[in-house]
Amino acid sequence: MRLRTAGGAHHRLQPGHEPVSPWLLAATDRARHMRELEHCQQVYRADGWQAALAPRPRNLGINPADQEIEPGGQPIPISAERAANFSYFIEHDFTAVREDRLDALPLQQTAVQIMPAWGRHTPPQVFDRQCAAELGKLLNVPIAEFPGGHNGNLTHPTAYAEQVRTLIATGRP
């Protein structure tokens, strides 16, 4: 995000909320997660996106049947468009994640302030929370905490947006 303040100054901030970046993990954890992604794709190809996402409680800490929603919030229904997005995500984005080999040095040298973040309700053993922790270590910066879990932008949209505004305004968690 690029923000121009009232005084004309520009700030660049990139929140990295639970980045799906297995390359940040230690070899054993990375290999385990890569197998999980590949398995999800195999299940998707055989049985569809709903079956492929069945392990969400373990893999992402998301249990649609038991997740906190901010007061006044409503669960977002799975429309035909969202179902198509899930299909595309599993088929294409999981492959991109598995094949990604980002060079860490440019991340450490960028002028953009990268702010790793995780959801308050994402369990510590979930891989993308671990990726946020490793990104924080790599960049030697604190981790921002967002409301909700991995999908806090959907379960806590108002509080999530407020946290984004706070990070932009202060540049710190």
Side-chain angles (χ1 to χ4, degrees), residues 56-124:
R56 279 182 296 185
R58 185 187 75 239
N59 295 347
L60 296 174
I62 298 172
N63 181 352
D66 181 30
Q67 62 182 340
E68 176 186 295
I69 297 175
E70 74 183 3
Q74 296 292 323
I76 298 177
I78 302 294
S79 64
E81 182 179 28
R82 278 191 79 202
N85 286 342
F86 276 123
S87 293
Y88 187 90
F89 176 67
I90 295 166
E91 183 64 37
H92 299 280
D93 293 357
F94 280 24
T95 300
V97 166
R98 288 187 6 250
E99 293 175 355
D100 181 39
R101 302 293 183 270
L102 191 60
D103 183 1
L105 187 60
L107 282 179
Q108 293 170 312
Q109 297 174 340
T110 183
V112 175
Q113 181 185 4
I114 299 171
M115 179 64 61
W118 58 48
R120 183 174 301 121
H121 296 296
T122 302

Side-chain angles (χ1 to χ4, degrees), residues 16-173:
H17 185 268
E18 298 187 15
V20 181
S21 304
W23 63 269
L24 287 163
L25 302 174
T28 303
D29 292 333
R30 181 174 51 249
R32 179 176 43 81
H33 178 56
M34 297 291 213
R35 286 190 303 272
E36 286 176 348
L37 290 172
E38 188 172 14
H39 176 72
C40 282
Q41 284 184 307
Q42 291 167 349
V43 171
Y44 164 73
R45 291 174 187 135
D47 300 318
W49 69 268
Q50 290 174 314
L53 293 181
R56 279 182 296 185
R58 185 187 75 239
N59 295 347
L60 296 174
I62 298 172
N63 181 352
D66 181 30
Q67 62 182 340
E68 176 186 295
I69 297 175
E70 74 183 3
Q74 296 292 323
I76 298 177
I78 302 294
S79 64
E81 182 179 28
R82 278 191 79 202
N85 286 342
F86 276 123
S87 293
Y88 187 90
F89 176 67
I90 295 166
E91 183 64 37
H92 299 280
D93 293 357
F94 280 24
T95 300
V97 166
R98 288 187 6 250
E99 293 175 355
D100 181 39
R101 302 293 183 270
L102 191 60
D103 183 1
L105 187 60
L107 282 179
Q108 293 170 312
Q109 297 174 340
T110 183
V112 175
Q113 181 185 4
I114 299 171
M115 179 64 61
W118 58 48
R120 183 174 301 121
H121 296 296
T122 302
Q125 74 274 11
V126 171
F127 81 92
D128 50 1
R129 181 176 172 139
Q130 293 172 352
C131 290
E134 292 303 318
L135 183 58
K137 289 177 193 173
L138 177 72
L139 301 174
N140 194 30
V141 297
I143 310 296
E145 186 173 86
F146 276 72
H150 181 71
N151 62 342
N153 61 320
L154 299 177
T155 62
H156 296 75
T158 303
Y160 193 97
E162 183 57 37
Q163 177 66 340
V164 170
R165 284 191 289 276
T166 298
L167 289 177
I168 289 171
T170 66
R172 62 183 186 279

